Amino acid sequence: MRLPRLPDLLTTANLACGVASILLASQGQLTWACGLVFIAAVFDVFDGLAARAMGGGTPLGAQLDSLADMVSFGVAPAMLVYCTPVLLQDPVGALLTPYATTPHPFGLVGIIAPLVLAMCSMWRLAKFNLDTRQSTGFLGLPTPSNGLFWVSMVLVSLNVAVHPGPGHDMLADLVVNLMESSTALMIACVGMAILMLSELPLPGLKFKHFRWQGNQVIFVIAGLGAMLVVLYGILAVPLILVVYVLSPLWGRVFPAAGR
C-alpha cells in the first residue's frame, strides 16, 4: 500500500470539511457550516495545484476528487438549503429542537428542492469525469460553483458578511424572499440543476500563462469579482456567478478568449 500523495491528502481535507459542514448544519450552526464549505473550496483548488505541480493527477485522485466534491458541494449545500427556511421561520426553536423532529415550513417542497440539487450534482460530476470535451473549459455549471452559490445565499439570508454596497438592501431582500418562498426556492433549485446538466460552454478559470491575450475572460471575471467582494462581501458570490454564466455572451468581444 503506497502512502497518499499530497493532492490526495488535500482532497481528503476537502471531504472532511464537507462532512463537518453537514454535521454542524444539522445542529443549526449554519454560519460555521457555510464557512466549512468555503474552506473545502480552498482545499479543492489546492489539490489541483498540487497535482499539476507533481506532474499531473492520477486516476485515483480524480475519483477521490469527485467523491469529495459530491459531499462538500453537493450534499452539504443541499443540507443548508433544507435547514435555512426552518431557521428563518423560528431562529430560537431551530437551535433547540433537532431538525429531524421539526416540521419543515415548506412541507414536501422543502425536501424535494435540496434533493434536486444533490442528485443533479452527482450527475454533473459523473458526466464531467467521462466527458473529454471539458479538459480546458466546462459544459454546464461546475458543481463547486453551484455549491458556493447556495452557501452564499444562506449567509446572505442570515445577514452574515454582507457589505453595504450600492443597492445591497434590495439585493439582500431578494435573497431572503427567495429562501422564504417555497415556490421561488423550488424554481431556483431546478434552474441551477438545469445549468449544471446543460451544455452551456463556460470558460475554465485556470491560467496557462499570465498574459492578457487568451486570458481576457479570466482577468475580467477576476477583476469584477474583486470589486464586487469589496462592495458587497458574501453577496458578491451570486453576482459573480451571474457574470460567469453570462460570459459566453460578453466574452465574444475577445476573439482569442479561451484559446
Side-chain angles (χ1 to χ4, degrees), residues 214-228:
N215 290 315
Q216 299 99 317
V217 172
I218 301 177
F219 277 121
V220 170
I221 292 174
L224 284 174
M227 180 181 68
L228 289 170

Side-chain angles (χ1 to χ4, degrees), residues 14 46 59 66 70 89 114 124 137 228:
N14 169 2
F46 278 99
S66 288
M70 180 61 211
Q89 183 190 54
R124 161 69 202 174
L228 289 170

Side-chain angles (χ1 to χ4, degrees), residues 14-15 17-26 30 33-34 37 40 66-83 111 113-123 125 143-144 146-148 150-151 154 196:
N14 169 2
L15 174 70
C17 289
V19 173
S21 173
I22 295 168
L23 295 175
L24 287 173
S26 70
L30 301 194
C34 290
V37 175
S66 288
L67 292 169
D69 284 358
M70 180 61 211
V71 174
S72 296
F73 308 115
V75 179
M79 181 66 171
L80 286 160
V81 168
Y82 173 83
C83 294
I111 299 174
L115 277 178
V116 167
L117 291 177
M119 291 187 296
C120 291
S121 294
M122 178 188 71
W123 278 86
L125 288 165
T143 297
N146 173 71
L148 293 177
W150 285 107
V151 168
V154 171
M196 282 193 285

Side-chain angles (χ1 to χ4, degrees), residues 1-254:
M1 180 179 177
R2 68 173 179 83
L3 293 175
R5 301 168 73 238
L6 176 60
D8 299 340
L9 292 175
L10 292 169
T11 301
T12 304
N14 169 2
L15 174 70
C17 289
V19 173
S21 173
I22 295 168
L23 295 175
L24 287 173
S26 70
Q27 299 300 312
Q29 304 297 323
L30 301 194
T31 301
W32 285 102
C34 290
L36 282 168
V37 175
F38 278 104
I39 296 174
V42 173
F43 283 123
D44 189 43
V45 170
F46 278 99
D47 68 7
L49 293 174
R52 288 190 290 276
M54 297 178 68
T58 64
L60 174 62
Q63 298 305 314
L64 291 175
D65 188 64
S66 288
L67 292 169
D69 284 358
M70 180 61 211
V71 174
S72 296
F73 308 115
V75 179
M79 181 66 171
L80 286 160
V81 168
Y82 173 83
C83 294
T84 300
V86 180
L87 186 65
L88 291 176
Q89 183 190 54
D90 185 6
V92 176
L95 294 175
L96 298 178
T97 307
Y99 279 101
T101 61
T102 302
H104 200 284
F106 295 167
L108 191 59
V109 172
I111 299 174
I112 294 176
L115 277 178
V116 167
L117 291 177
M119 291 187 296
C120 291
S121 294
M122 178 188 71
W123 278 86
R124 161 69 202 174
L125 288 165
K127 284 181 61 180
F128 178 78
N129 284 348
L130 299 175
D131 195 341
T132 57
R133 299 173 297 168
Q134 300 189 59
S135 57
T136 58
F138 300 108
L139 294 175
L141 185 69
T143 297
S145 299
N146 173 71
L148 293 177
F149 168 81
W150 285 107
V151 168
S152 66
M153 294 287 278
V154 171
L155 288 174
V156 172
S157 67
L158 299 176
N159 197 30
V160 175
V162 177
H163 296 175
H168 82 284
D169 287 331
M170 180 189 69
L171 294 170
D173 285 344
L174 286 174
V175 172
V176 173
N177 290 336
L178 185 151
M179 299 301 290
E180 290 184 332
S181 167
S182 60
T183 302
L185 182 62
M186 191 71 220
I187 292 173
C189 287
V190 171
M192 295 300 288
I194 291 172
L195 278 177
M196 282 193 285
L197 299 181
S198 71
E199 295 282 304
L200 178 68
L202 293 171
L205 299 179
K206 297 174 183 176
F207 287 100
K208 292 183 178 180
H209 51 76
F210 292 100
R211 297 187 298 275
W212 168 257
Q213 191 70 17
N215 290 315
Q216 299 99 317
V217 172
I218 301 177
F219 277 121
V220 170
I221 292 174
L224 284 174
M227 180 181 68
L228 289 170
V229 168
V230 171
L231 289 174
Y232 297 107
I234 200 67
L235 184 55
V237 176
L239 298 176
I240 294 169
L241 183 71
V242 171
V243 173
Y244 180 56
V245 169
L246 293 177
S247 62
L249 296 177
W250 58 261
R252 293 177 182 176
V253 301
F254 307 119

